[in-house]
Amino acid sequence: MNKFLIQKIPYPQFWRIGCISGIIINIIVAVIPAKISAHPGHNHEFKTDIEFTTPEGISVDAQTAKRIGIIVKPVKPQILPIGMKTTGKIETLPNQKVPVTPPIEGKVVELLVKPGAIVKRGETVAVISNSDLAELRVSSQEKRAEAEADLQQAQADFQLAQQNLERQQQIAKAEINQAQTEVKVAQERYDRDRLLVADGALPRRQMLESEAHLAEGKSQLTKASSRREVIEAEAQLKRAQSSVKVAKSRIRLSSAAYNARLQQLGTLANSQGLVTVIAPISGMVSETPVTLGETVTVDADSKPLMTIINNNRVYATANIYEKDLEKIQKNQQVRVTVASLQNQTFLGKVSLIGTVVEDEKRVIPVKAELVNSGGFLKPGMFAQLEILTDQTTNEVIAIPSQSVVDVNNQQVVYVQNGENYQPVEVILGETSGDLVEVKSGLFAGDLLVTQGSMQLYAQSLRGGNKAKESSEEISENPVNQSLPWWWVLPAGGVLMVGGFWVGRLDKKSSRRDAEKTLERVK
C-alpha cells in the first residue's frame, strides 16, 4: 500500500526539462545565422552569411555623375549581327615580309637604315662594292672617253665641211648669176641681129657671131650650175656627218656592257660606281644582321642584308571546324580583338578559306584581312575572332556589354530616373562584338547607364545615405546587435545545470510531501 502510494504520487521533472531546454537552445542558435554589423561607411569590408541579391538604387546629382564618368543613352531596338567566335593569331600577308639580299658578292660599304626605320619601295637602303663590276665600269669609262674624243673631232670636221660647202655654194651662185647675165645679153643681141639680117640691114656673118657668143654664155651657165667644188664640199659634209654619228654610237656602246650587267643584277650604281641596294617593298626594317665592312655573298644560305615587313594590312588566321564550314563565306565581316589592346576592335573581311581539311583535328584555316594602319597588331599575337555569319530576323534590345554588372551570378544594369539610378536585373541572349542582346528586363526608351555602371555598383556597396543611417542606428542601439555564436555553448550549459539542480530540489520536496501523506493515512 505504501509502495503503491509512493509510485503514484507525481512530482515535477524540472531537471529533465532543463536539460532538454538547453539542448534545444543550442540547436536553434546553431541553425539561425548570426548577423554581423559593420561600422558606418564600410559595410563592404565585412562578409555576412546573408546572400546579396540585387544592389540598392542610388541617388547621384548631375555634377557627381559627370565627375565619375556616367554616360546615359536611351535603349533602342536594332538588328543584331550574330557571329561565330574563335581564337587565332595575327600573321603577315604573303610577300609582305621580304628579306633584302645582296644582288652581287661584295663588301658592305654603307647601311643607310636601322631597325625600326620606315622605308619606301625603291629607296636605297645599302651600298656594296664589287671589284669585277668596278673594272667593268673603268673599261666602259675609257671607251667612252675615246668615243667622246672622236665625236669632238668629227664634229669639228663637220663644221669645216659645212663652212666649205657654204663658201663653194656662194662662189657657184656668183658664177651662175654672171653666166645668166651674159646669156641674157647674148640672147638679146642674137635676136636683134637676126631681125636685122632678115631686113637686109646687117650682114649674116655678124648674126652668126652673135649666135656663137650666146652658145658660149649658155655653156658657162651650165658649168657654173654644176660646179665640181660644190659637189666635193657636199660629199665632205656627208662624211663628217657620218663620223659624228659613229662617235655618238661608240659613246652609247661604251657603257652598254656595264649597264647590261647592272640590269642583270636588278640594281643601279651611284656616282662612285658602287652597287646600290633598294627596298623591294615599303614597310619597316625589322632587323639588319650584317655590319659595315662585312663581305656578303649571293649563296642560298647567305644571310640577308635586312628584313622589311609591311604590316599596314595583316591576316587574322583561325581554324574552323569542318561542321561549321558551311556558315563561312568570303567577304563576311570579322571583328578581332587582342588581349594587349582591350579597348580596340579591328574590322576586316574573310579573304581566304582553306581548301584542305586536316585529318586529325578536322579543321580548316580561315584568314581575314585587317587594316593595321597604326601598326598595333603584331605578327604572332593571339587574337579573338568573331565572324559575323548571320543576324537577328527582327529588331532586338541590344546594349553595350560594359553596362552590365555581374552581381552574385545575376546580370544587373542601371536605369536613370531623374537623379536616381535604379538597378534592374536582366536576362541576356546573343552577343555581337561589344553588344549583347537583352531578352527581358529593359524596354525601348529606358535611359540606360552605358558607362559608369561599376562605379554605381561600388557606391551601392558602400550603402549610400540609407546604408549609413541603418549602420548608425545599429551602432547606437546595442540591443539590436546579436551575440557571438560561441556564447551559445556556455549559455546552454548554464540552463542544463540549472534545470538539473532544480529537478533535484523538486524531487526531494516531493518525497517529503509523500512521506507526510503516508503518515496521515496511517
Side-chain angles (χ1 to χ4, degrees), residues 320-326 357-358 361-364:
I320 303 298
Y321 286 104
E322 181 182 3
K323 62 182 180 64
D324 298 325
L325 188 58
E326 62 179 1
V357 178
E358 295 184 11
K361 298 181 180 179
R362 309 307 298 172
V363 295
I364 191 168

Side-chain angles (χ1 to χ4, degrees), residues 62-72 449-453 455:
Q63 184 177 1
T64 304
K66 183 178 180 180
R67 179 175 55 81
I68 64 177
I70 294 177
I71 297 178
V72 177
V449 176
T450 59
Q451 184 172 322
S453 299
Q455 289 85 337

Side-chain angles (χ1 to χ4, degrees), residues 267-282:
T267 185
L268 298 174
N270 60 11
S271 58
Q272 290 79 31
L274 302 176
V275 178
T276 58
V277 182
I278 60 175
I281 62 171
S282 299

Side-chain angles (χ1 to χ4, degrees), residues 302-479:
S302 62
K303 58 184 176 182
L305 298 175
M306 62 193 65
T307 301
I308 300 177
I309 300 177
N310 187 343
N311 283 335
N312 289 334
R313 303 185 73 86
V314 294
Y315 271 150
T317 303
N319 289 327
I320 303 298
Y321 286 104
E322 181 182 3
K323 62 182 180 64
D324 298 325
L325 188 58
E326 62 179 1
K327 302 177 183 178
I328 307 299
Q329 298 178 2
K330 281 190 176 182
N331 297 323
Q332 284 179 334
Q333 189 176 12
V334 180
R335 295 171 177 168
V336 178
T337 58
V338 294
S340 59
L341 303 169
Q342 296 182 356
N343 297 326
Q344 294 192 47
T345 300
F346 299 87
L347 302 180
K349 291 184 178 181
V350 175
S351 59
L352 181 63
I353 302 174
T355 57
V356 179
V357 178
E358 295 184 11
D359 293 335
E360 296 181 358
K361 298 181 180 179
R362 309 307 298 172
V363 295
I364 191 168
V366 173
K367 297 180 182 294
E369 188 172 338
L370 309 175
V371 176
N372 187 32
S373 56
F376 299 111
L377 297 175
K378 310 295 182 184
M381 279 184 169
F382 287 104
Q384 296 289 333
L385 284 75
E386 183 180 12
I387 305 174
L388 303 183
T389 58
D390 200 357
Q391 62 181 16
T392 55
T393 54
N394 299 317
E395 290 185 342
V396 298
I397 299 294
I399 62 175
S401 302
Q402 64 179 3
S403 62
V404 182
V405 181
D406 189 345
V407 180
N408 292 336
N409 296 325
Q410 293 180 350
Q411 309 304 315
V412 175
V413 298
Y414 283 89
V415 176
Q416 183 186 23
N417 184 11
E419 291 188 353
N420 187 55
Y421 295 89
Q422 186 66 33
V424 177
E425 183 181 354
V426 293
I427 297 177
L428 305 180
E430 297 284 350
T431 60
S432 178
D434 57 353
L435 296 178
V436 59
E437 177 190 4
V438 177
K439 291 186 174 181
S440 66
L442 287 180
F443 299 93
D446 286 347
L447 298 179
L448 175 71
V449 176
T450 59
Q451 184 172 322
S453 299
M454 288 302 300
Q455 289 85 337
L456 291 174
Y457 174 56
Q459 188 70 15
S460 69
L461 290 180
R462 286 193 290 270
N465 295 333
K466 294 181 179 180
K468 290 180 181 179
E469 293 173 359
S470 176
S471 243
E472 290 171 359
E473 290 177 359
I474 292 173
S475 298
E476 292 173 359
N477 188 6
V479 176

Side-chain angles (χ1 to χ4, degrees), residues 16 36 137 139-140 150 152 154 164 174 191 303 349 358 364 373 389 393 398 450:
R16 294 180 181 175
I36 301 176
R137 178 174 180 270
S139 176
S140 68
D150 293 341
Q152 291 179 355
N164 182 45
D191 292 340
K303 58 184 176 182
K349 291 184 178 181
E358 295 184 11
I364 191 168
S373 56
T389 58
T393 54
T450 59

Side-chain angles (χ1 to χ4, degrees), residues 95-113:
N95 302 324
Q96 296 303 304
K97 181 179 181 180
V98 180
V100 181
T101 57
I104 192 172
E105 181 179 346
K107 183 182 294 185
V108 179
V109 178
E110 288 184 90
L111 283 174
L112 303 178
V113 294

